[in-house]
Amino acid sequence: MGRDKWSSLVWCGVGIFICIGSLGFSLGELHNPGPGFLSFYAGLILGVLALVIHFQSRKATSAHKKTEPEPIWKNRQRGWKMVMTVGALLAYAVIMNYLGFLLSTFIFLAFLLRVIEPQRWPVALLGSLAASVAFYFIFEMGLKSQLPRGLIRFF
């Protein structure tokens, strides 16, 4: 079995484990969800998607074999991108309380779009701005979650 076949089985098992663990809590109803509602259905979706990947990978014939990607340790550029991405995620988590959600998300996404997956400056800046504002409205206005304000306190 290939990597996709094995990893999809592992993720299917994780989904089943999450579903079983969620059954210990009340699932509630669609309009009145209980504490186990979200985790149960997230585990169910994870398991179903893992099974879809498993069956798709089984259908692949030897004539359509994909070339295996080169491991990260053999490709320095990909390795450095991975290290920079993890570093950027850590920095994002640290600076969010100081700069706030909006500004730190803009900087993080601009870094990813300009350095990790190089895009032109206008694409990186406008894409980061659009995504940051969209995420802000989704989380702050739509979901009514409290995001760190940081330097930009007028929002």
Side-chain angles (χ1 to χ4, degrees):
M1 276 190 187
R3 287 184 192 174
D4 284 346
K5 291 177 188 175
W6 283 110
S7 63
S8 63
L9 289 177
V10 169
W11 284 111
C12 185
V14 169
I16 291 169
F17 179 75
I18 291 171
C19 287
I20 291 171
S22 299
L23 290 175
F25 301 103
S26 169
L27 296 181
E29 300 170 357
L30 183 62
H31 297 290
N32 187 18
F37 183 85
L38 182 64
S39 58
F40 177 80
Y41 286 105
L44 185 66
I45 290 169
L46 176 64
V48 167
L49 291 176
L51 284 176
V52 168
I53 291 173
H54 178 74
F55 289 120
Q56 284 179 346
S57 65
R58 289 181 59 101
K59 283 185 178 180
T61 61
S62 59
H64 297 289
K65 279 191 176 179
K66 297 178 183 175
T67 58
E68 288 291 324
E70 199 173 67
I72 289 176
W73 57 86
K74 288 188 178 180
N75 186 335
R76 282 186 111 85
Q77 184 180 10
R78 284 181 55 212
W80 275 112
K81 282 184 177 184
M82 183 189 69
V83 169
M84 287 191 300
T85 302
V86 171
L89 277 169
L90 292 173
Y92 176 63
V94 170
I95 67 170
M96 187 179 296
N97 284 330
Y98 300 106
L99 298 181
F101 176 81
L102 206 51
L103 188 57
S104 59
T105 302
F106 173 78
I107 293 168
F108 174 67
L109 291 175
F111 173 78
L112 291 180
L113 288 174
R114 184 66 186 153
V115 177
I116 303 301
E117 272 308 312
Q119 303 291 322
R120 295 178 322 211
W121 277 110
V123 172
L125 294 177
L126 288 175
S128 300
L129 180 65
S132 299
V133 170
F135 292 149
Y136 175 80
F137 280 109
I138 289 169
F139 288 110
E140 186 76 27
M141 304 297 179
L143 297 174
K144 304 284 187 215
S145 47
Q146 226 174 354
L147 300 173
R149 300 254 184 242
L151 298 174
I152 304 176
R153 299 209 182 268
F154 60 87
F155 280 105

